[in-house]
């Protein structure tokens, strides 16, 4: 079954992972999760923010519940997804290692701005 496309050029990237998901819901969740991570938002990237809803009241919103299911309950192989991600990075001359250097993406955490954030505990930032 066809999946609703991700916004703009993100669809071309997301489609490269389709064969790693067994259901339409997984493909849709992957696109929604990616879009939420990459779209500019005014606040921290919680699930409610990724789904574009309000922090507390939006937690019951269908889009948030669907997005929550994708990373926590859906059965997909994160190692295969990560391997494909690395494979795509290495295949693209803009992100592949070369004699002039290498692109390093550290997704272990970002420093927050301010002294308090709702629903967030202390975080180790490698």
């Amino acid at each position: 079954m066809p999946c609703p496309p991700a916004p703009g050029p993100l669809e071309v990237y997301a489609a490269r992972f389709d064969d790693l998901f067994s259901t339409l819901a997984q493909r849709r969740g992957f696109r929604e999760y990616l879009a939420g991570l990459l779209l500019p938002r005014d606040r921290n990237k919680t699930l409610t923010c990724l789904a574009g809803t309000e922090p507390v009241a939006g937690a019951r919103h269908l889009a948030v519940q669907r997005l929550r299911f994708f990373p926590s309950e859906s059965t997909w192989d994160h190692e295969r997804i990560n391997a494909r991600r690395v494979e795509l990075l290495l295949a693209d001359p803009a992100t592949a290692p070369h004699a002039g250097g290498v692109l390093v993406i550290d997704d272990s955490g970002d420093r927050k701005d301010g002294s308090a954030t709702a629903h967030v505990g202390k975080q180790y930032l490698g």
Side-chain angles (χ1 to χ4, degrees):
M1 225 174 144
C3 183
L10 185 57
E11 176 57 27
V12 173
Y13 181 77
R16 294 176 171 178
F17 293 84
D18 281 352
D19 63 309
L20 302 177
F21 297 110
S22 59
T23 69
L24 172 62
Q26 290 172 341
R27 292 191 305 274
R28 180 186 299 140
F30 181 67
R31 283 164 170 76
E32 291 172 357
Y33 193 78
L34 282 177
L37 288 174
L38 297 174
L39 289 173
R41 300 283 192 207
D42 293 336
R43 56 191 175 85
N44 290 340
K45 303 280 180 133
T46 62
L47 280 175
T48 54
C49 179
L50 293 179
T53 65
E54 292 302 313
V56 176
R60 290 187 208 88
H61 194 275
L62 176 61
V64 175
Q65 295 303 315
R66 189 172 54 221
L67 195 56
R68 179 174 292 147
F69 180 81
F70 173 70
S72 63
E73 304 296 325
S74 185
T75 56
W76 48 273
D77 187 346
H78 70 277
E79 291 176 353
R80 290 180 65 201
I81 298 295
N82 193 47
R84 176 72 51 88
R85 179 187 64 84
V86 171
E87 174 186 318
L88 292 171
L89 284 170
L90 293 174
D92 186 338
T95 54
H98 54 80
V102 63
L103 171 67
V104 176
I105 300 172
D106 178 6
D107 61 358
S108 63
D110 294 315
R111 300 224 178 267
K112 66 180 184 170
D113 185 25
S115 61
T117 304
H119 313 295
V120 176
K122 292 195 179 287
Q123 176 183 6
Y124 173 71
L125 294 176

